[in-house]
Amino acid sequence: MAKAGLTLADRLAARKPELALARAQSLLAQSEQDPSLRLRAVKLFAVAAAAGLTMAERELGRCYLLGEAVPRNPSEAALWFGRAAEKGDNDARRYLAGLAMAGHRESGADAALFRQESTAPDFDTALRWALLAAAEGDVEAQVMAGFIYAAGPEALRDAARAKFWYGKAAE
């Protein structure tokens, strides 16, 4: 990672992934008042994510999803969300479900250079990720699962499961 644009405090924090994550979170919180801090935060999230810190992977994915200090890139977002989701991060799982519902297709590592965005929702993938987070109590994922069972493709529709997940979310 290029250190350009990082302060001395940032570069010192970047030496330890946990410190890089904490510094990135602090910079991001301050970026409401000073948007120039976002790029520094993203660089530090990248350091911590490359070291395998789950929260940093999710936050870097969120930055790519929203185009926050980096170009908007749903495929790159999905890559980082996928790493965090595989480690049990429910927010990342929910983001992946949302991407699938928006038409983003998962692809293997061999196809990474040739990914193309799709416009058709992938409800099977969305349901898989939503259910993992929903089962852990994520209310938004429970609503997503309920929606897919209630209004998704005919093959996935199940009124009883829709009612169950909507009920869990309502609790």
Side-chain angles (χ1 to χ4, degrees):
M1 179 191 96
K3 302 287 190 220
L6 295 180
T7 66
L8 177 60
D10 297 338
R11 289 192 303 265
L12 289 172
R15 291 180 175 188
K16 293 190 177 189
E18 294 81 9
L19 294 177
L21 174 59
R23 179 101 176 132
Q25 291 172 313
S26 174
L27 290 170
L28 195 59
Q30 297 171 45
S31 71
E32 289 293 319
Q33 292 80 22
D34 184 357
S36 68
L37 298 177
R38 287 187 184 125
L39 181 57
R40 289 171 44 205
V42 170
K43 288 179 179 183
L44 291 168
F45 279 134
V47 167
L53 295 184
T54 305
M55 186 181 295
E57 292 167 339
R58 182 192 66 234
E59 288 304 308
L60 186 57
R62 192 188 58 72
C63 290
Y64 278 109
L65 179 65
L66 301 175
E68 193 166 276
V70 292
R72 187 179 181 286
N73 186 332
S75 292
E76 192 69 18
L79 174 102
W80 291 106
F81 288 146
R83 290 180 182 187
E86 292 295 339
K87 295 175 187 172
D89 187 280
N90 288 325
D91 290 337
R93 290 170 171 170
R94 189 179 60 252
Y95 280 125
L96 284 171
L99 280 168
M101 287 176 67
H104 180 80
R105 298 276 185 226
E106 291 184 326
S107 56
D110 295 340
L113 294 176
F114 305 104
R115 285 188 186 139
Q116 293 183 1
E117 300 304 313
S118 172
T119 56
D122 180 354
F123 285 105
D124 291 317
T125 299
L127 184 59
R128 177 170 51 91
W129 287 116
L131 286 174
L132 286 171
E136 295 292 324
D138 186 293
V139 175
E140 291 178 45
Q142 291 169 343
V143 171
M144 292 173 102
F147 172 80
I148 294 168
Y149 282 129
E154 194 64 41
L156 294 177
R157 287 192 190 170
D158 185 323
R161 286 183 178 166
K163 183 178 178 180
F164 172 80
W165 286 114
Y166 280 139
K168 288 293 246 185
E171 291 175 5

